[in-house]
Amino acid sequence: MGNTPPVPVATQGMDKADRGKRHRPPMGVSALSLLAVLIALFSLIPLGFVIYMTLTAGWDTVLELVVRPRVGELLANTILLILVTVPLCLLLGVGGAWLVERTNLRGRRWWALALAAPLAIPAFVNSYAWSSTVPSLAGLGAGTLIATLSYFPLVYIPVAATLGRLDPAIEQSAASLGLGPWGVFLKVVLPQLRIAMTGGSLLVALHLLSEYGAFAMIRFDTFTTAIMVQFQSTFNGAAGNMLASVLVLLCMLLLWGESKMRGTARYARVGFGAQGLPVRHPLGCFEVPAQLSLLAVGVLSVGIPLWSVLRWLVAGGAQVWEPARFLPALLQTLGYGLGGALLTIVVAFPMAYLAVRHASGFSRLLELSNYVTSSMPGIVVGLAFVTVSIKVVPGIYQSALVLLAAYVLLFLPRALVNLRAGLSQAPRELDEAAQSLGRSPFAAFFLVTLRLSAPAAAGGAALVFLAIVNELTATLLLAPNGTRTLATAFWAKSSEIDYMGAAPYALLMILISTPMTYLLFQQSKKAAGQ
């Protein structure tokens, strides 16, 4: 034993070195980390803007502008809207998902798509349809109606996906112990839906905080509508900045509340064997009420908006389809949508790569910075970029670059989540195998990793594209002079009560959004293994 040469030790060291070399990302971990840090710092510009404006205003000014009756009124409106709308979205989302996934409902495949369809109709188009059909519609009740019909699919889609992958063996065991159908649902199924329900509720609440067009059209005041009025009247005055600070605080409270309600419980299935098929409960005499309820939801959320848009198109005649009217807005929308989606994917890639291939507390912290920023309303991001571009880089104010940067910050998590899933399905060993066959690390990365993650990147780009097509608030604040997207052109016409002139833009947004919504629905089913 004493004559054993130390060669294995040297070889082992060489193996470790070789393995370390093979594991190095094509651009190097340090370069990727530096790039991800720069992206994270860039994404914190809106939050830094809010903090800076609050601190520089002075405590006396903050109290004067925040502690006043108008802020109390806006706060009451916003909180009431959330407290009423979120439970209604939960009721429709969970109830619809249960009927589609766990009952013998007739036509359930068709209803599964129909319940996701309202996402293809922007909330401000929904508001336009309802306000032009019922002109007296206004206030909290109107805001709740339109918001519920527009946003309940944000709860329905994740809950339906979760129901599709729950192991029915747990429910069968509970039933064998004497629990009835309602007992099984309340004590077994509902707790397993908590993550999907809290996540969907958070999305609904954040949309309620950020929505401008839908509520402005029905004359319902929220923080976002009030900030826009302040900006238009005083161009980013102190009062608007303080309202933005309160709005950001509400966003942070919602994120904190969702994390607490989500909890740390896990509901994964561990064990051998195939998962059983879910038991579909017979509706019996409840079949007709269930069908009528779903039909009512479909008519109110999709039927009335489509009918209203088509009605105004027919009333406007062929002249509303003159290419000179809508073609520039369509082309600019497609240009910004495609450019913003591509840029967002490129910006998201370094962070997604670090999160999957070099996971650590550092990479998770970088990710968190993007999620915090994206939770802010578009109007806050818009105000931040207006102020920063004017004071720091005046030459880029109201340029396409600033608008694209705002789109990236607002919708980066949509790309990040998809890229992470795609990179997770591209094993590192395949990259190493390509290098062992003579490919350089850079070539192996492009031929293997990038190729395998391309479908997920395309899915993320599609979701970002959908968001950009329907984005209104940040576009109104940051778009260069002469820019007319479908959303801003629609808003200009509808604000002038030119419902016939606004109809083509509304229809085009719906037509563009429909395939993207279908893609989102299919991705959720794929994630559920269905």
Side-chain angles (χ1 to χ4, degrees):
M1 295 294 292
N3 296 325
T4 303
V7 176
V9 177
T11 304
Q12 183 180 7
M14 291 174 62
D15 289 342
K16 288 182 179 180
D18 290 341
R19 285 198 298 270
K21 185 177 180 181
R22 288 197 299 267
H23 290 174
R24 186 185 306 159
M27 297 177 61
V29 177
S30 58
L32 277 179
S33 299
L34 177 60
L35 190 57
V37 168
L38 292 177
I39 294 170
L41 291 175
F42 176 72
S43 70
L44 291 176
I45 287 177
L47 182 60
F49 157 77
V50 171
I51 296 174
Y52 173 78
M53 296 304 295
T54 302
L55 293 176
T56 56
W59 184 245
D60 293 337
T61 303
V62 170
L63 287 179
E64 180 184 352
L65 294 175
V66 172
V67 184
R68 55 192 174 112
R70 177 58 173 164
V71 176
E73 177 188 347
L74 296 173
L75 187 61
N77 284 350
T78 304
I79 292 177
L80 283 174
L81 182 68
I82 293 174
L83 291 178
V84 177
T85 303
V86 170
L88 289 175
C89 288
L90 282 170
L91 179 64
L92 293 179
V94 176
W98 175 260
L99 288 174
V100 168
E101 297 293 336
R102 288 305 180 90
T103 71
N104 63 348
L105 180 77
R106 294 178 183 176
R108 55 182 175 270
R109 292 184 180 273
W110 186 88
W111 283 120
L113 291 171
L115 289 171
L119 281 185
I121 303 176
F124 52 86
V125 172
N126 212 341
S127 183
Y128 149 86
W130 277 92
S131 60
S132 62
T133 303
V134 187
S136 61
L137 207 60
L140 177 62
T144 300
L145 172 68
I146 292 167
T148 301
L149 295 176
S150 299
Y151 297 135
F152 80 85
L154 296 174
V155 175
Y156 161 75
I157 290 177
V159 170
T162 303
L163 278 173
R165 64 172 174 261
L166 292 184
D167 190 349
I170 304 176
E171 301 164 46
Q172 294 165 2
S173 299
S176 68
L177 295 175
L179 284 179
W182 277 108
V184 171
F185 177 77
L186 294 174
K187 296 184 178 181
V188 178
V189 177
L190 203 59
Q192 297 182 81
L193 299 178
R194 182 169 62 178
I195 294 176
M197 290 168 61
T198 54
S201 298
L202 175 65
L203 288 177
V204 172
L206 291 175
H207 276 78
L208 294 177
L209 291 183
S210 64
E211 181 58 48
Y212 166 68
F215 299 139
M217 200 167 290
I218 56 172
R219 303 174 299 281
F220 179 61
D221 292 337
T222 64
F223 277 103
T224 302
T225 60
I227 293 170
M228 182 63 81
V229 170
Q230 288 287 339
F231 176 82
Q232 292 170 340
S233 61
T234 61
F235 193 72
N236 195 25
N241 291 328
M242 290 306 101
L243 291 177
S245 300
V246 178
L247 191 56
V248 170
L249 179 60
L250 287 177
C251 289
M252 298 299 105
L253 289 175
L254 285 174
L255 289 173
W256 175 81
E258 188 271 342
S259 66
K260 291 296 182 182
M261 293 179 64
R262 185 198 321 151
T264 57
R266 299 177 61 191
Y267 303 104
R269 178 178 183 268
V270 179
F272 297 99
Q275 178 172 311
L277 294 175
V279 177
R280 293 194 174 272
H281 302 281
L283 288 173
C285 61
F286 293 102
E287 172 79 26
V288 173
Q291 294 283 356
L292 291 176
S293 298
L294 293 177
L295 180 62
V297 172
V299 169
L300 294 175
S301 61
V302 178
I304 287 182
L306 288 179
W307 173 80
S308 179
V309 170
L310 294 176
R311 175 169 66 96
W312 288 114
L313 282 175
V314 172
Q319 62 180 359
V320 300
W321 286 108
E322 292 179 5
R325 291 193 175 196
F326 70 88
L327 193 55
L330 175 61
L331 293 177
Q332 289 192 0
T333 299
L334 294 176
Y336 276 110
L338 293 173
L342 179 61
L343 183 60
T344 305
I345 289 294
V346 172
V347 171
F349 195 88
M351 208 161 289
Y353 194 90
L354 285 177
V356 174
R357 294 294 176 87
H358 303 277
S360 64
F362 174 69
S363 63
R364 285 191 291 270
L365 183 62
L366 294 178
E367 268 192 284
L368 180 62
S369 67
N370 292 286
Y371 287 107
V372 169
T373 300
S374 67
S375 69
M376 297 181 187
I379 192 168
V380 175
V381 176
L383 287 174
F385 274 89
V386 167
T387 304
V388 172
S389 60
I390 289 176
K391 294 186 176 182
V392 180
V393 194
I396 65 172
Y397 173 62
Q398 280 198 323
S399 66
L401 178 63
V402 175
L403 182 56
L404 288 172
Y407 288 153
V408 169
L409 293 196
L410 285 170
F411 309 125
L412 189 61
R414 303 186 184 213
L416 193 57
V417 169
N418 281 270
L419 276 175
R420 283 192 59 176
L423 288 170
S424 298
Q425 296 173 357
R428 179 185 299 174
E429 290 75 13
L430 294 180
D431 199 3
E432 295 174 352
Q435 294 182 46
S436 68
L437 294 175
R439 299 288 185 179
S440 67
F442 193 74
F445 169 77
F446 270 91
L447 292 174
V448 179
T449 303
L450 200 60
R451 187 175 179 180
L452 291 176
S453 59
L463 295 180
V464 174
F465 176 84
L466 171 63
I468 292 175
V469 167
N470 296 329
E471 207 289 320
L472 177 63
T473 316
T475 309
L476 287 174
L477 291 171
L478 299 172
N481 291 330
T483 298
R484 289 175 73 243
T485 65
L486 292 175
T488 58
F490 166 84
W491 183 250
K493 292 292 185 181
S494 59
S495 299
E496 298 169 358
I497 320 299
D498 184 3
Y499 294 137
M500 290 182 290
Y505 303 106
L507 182 61
L508 287 171
M509 281 188 286
I510 293 172
L511 292 178
I512 293 174
S513 300
T514 297
M516 301 298 105
T517 301
Y518 178 76
L519 175 63
L520 174 62
F521 176 78
Q522 289 299 111
Q523 279 191 330
S524 71
K525 303 298 284 185
K526 183 179 178 181
Q530 294 176 276

